[in-house]
Amino acid sequence: MFRGSAPARAPSTWTLRVSVLDRCQYRCPYCRPGAVAPYVEPATRLTAEDYAALAPLFARRGVTKVRFTGGEPLLRRDLPEIVAAFRRGAPEATLALTTNGQHLAERLPALAEAGVTRATVHVDSLRPERYRALMGDGDVRDVLAATLAARDLLDEVKLNVVVQRGRNDDELSDFLSWSRATGVEVRFIELMNTGSAADYTRSVFMTGQEIANALAAAGGAAPVPRREASAPAARFRADDGLEFGIIASDTQPFCEDCNRMRLSADGRLLGCLYEAGGLDLRASLAAGDQAELAARLGQAFADKRSHHPDVDVERVPFSMAQTGG
Ligand code: SAM
């Protein structure tokens, strides 16, 4: 339906998602980094110097928000240097982080110091045993404590929950209770079938509408306007006024308002999560030719198209970790 379509109008500001590392210590059954493509070799990863060269070019092209993701971005020891490179090269941009939060407590001060002002923490269950079964070997109580520390230090912190039927859909109200108690906004995410775990994804898939219906029955879910047209989350308000988001990328795609570009850990620039390949910037980076780099980067922005498949169409498998979820 949306395949090949460009955004309805050229965005005036852009968001860049940077996958700084395609590896993760967790094993969420729908993500499985490394399942569809070999991991990027360490020598092939962009370096802090590469990001320093790119940051001013992105700023000039209108990028006003940069989100560091992966894989798990906090596994990259030099993440504060990467953040600082963007702080220097794109001083007007808001710098955000998406993380599973396992190492957030110890890394937060340096990241905030380097320039991160927003964080999204990914938690699929509030119950310690279920969390370990659904995500991996970590303690959700520590992750939630780190999330609150981030809430106290940063400008904005959110919690992402990937909703899986029969696995965690009985916790939707619990997440809203936690949000009510802490003031941290929760966003419920509809599973995207990236092809890295197609059978699992089909077996637990719940549409954004089904998530909204369940929440409406539990305590109200009245639609409220999106904050920005390009925001991925549809917004809802519970009967007591608590707001939350639902992101339904597959069943309710928002391609025409999408202002996101993505930079993979090995330096490929993509206009869409579903795009195969992307524009490889490494040769231009190695040559150190800023003018050529700027021209290629500008071309990728101009060529941005949706590659979003129809929901029922088979898709080219990709790894969310490599492209940067
Ligand atoms: N490791 C970090 C984390 O867990 O948030 C950052 C990378 S992860 C790929 C980024 C986000 O992608 C997670 O918050 C998770 O919600 C989301 N995600 C991963 N695979 C997904 C899928 N198949 N469908 C929907 N969301 C997915």
Side-chain angles (χ1 to χ4, degrees), residues 169-212:
D169 59 322
D170 55 346
E171 288 189 62
L172 302 185
S173 293
D174 295 347
F175 275 106
L176 290 190
S177 299
W178 180 85
S179 175
R180 217 169 261 121
T182 59
V184 174
E185 185 172 310
V186 171
R187 286 148 13 129
F188 299 102
I189 301 182
E190 173 190 279
L191 261 176
M192 292 172 75
N193 187 357
T194 65
S196 60
D199 291 343
Y200 179 81
T201 299
R202 282 195 196 99
S203 70
V204 301
F205 184 68
M206 215 171 146
T207 66
Q209 188 59 55
E210 288 171 327
I211 297 167

Side-chain angles (χ1 to χ4, degrees), residues 9-151:
R9 58 199 167 285
S12 52
T13 61
W14 295 83
T15 292
L16 177 69
R17 294 204 175 195
V18 183
S19 173
V20 293
L21 182 71
D22 58 349
R23 289 174 184 265
C24 184
Q25 74 276 48
Y26 277 0
R27 286 290 165 264
C28 302
Y30 47 80
C31 189
R32 301 177 62 242
V36 293
Y39 285 119
V40 168
E41 292 294 328
T44 318
R45 280 181 208 140
L46 296 192
T47 62
E49 292 72 33
D50 292 330
Y51 292 115
L54 287 168
L57 304 182
F58 282 118
R60 239 173 277 149
R61 197 61 189 69
V63 169
T64 55
K65 185 170 171 189
V66 179
R67 177 170 293 280
F68 303 99
T69 178
E72 175 47 40
L74 297 192
L75 293 184
R76 229 180 123 148
R77 298 305 315 169
D78 61 350
L79 185 60
E81 291 162 43
I82 296 171
V83 172
F86 276 93
R87 175 77 300 137
R88 283 192 304 275
E92 307 296 325
T94 301
L95 304 182
L97 180 70
T98 298
T99 174
N100 61 38
Q102 198 181 27
H103 297 299
L104 187 58
E106 69 265 24
R107 310 281 323 260
L108 183 62
L111 290 167
E113 172 78 23
V116 167
T117 58
R118 297 186 190 186
T120 298
V121 183
H122 168 208
V123 168
D124 286 347
S125 175
L126 296 169
R127 304 179 191 175
E129 268 185 41
R130 186 185 278 182
Y131 177 88
R132 273 193 296 279
L134 279 181
M135 295 187 68
D137 195 13
D139 191 326
V140 67
R141 290 162 292 203
D142 295 341
V143 171
L144 293 174
T147 305
L148 298 189
R151 172 202 64 185

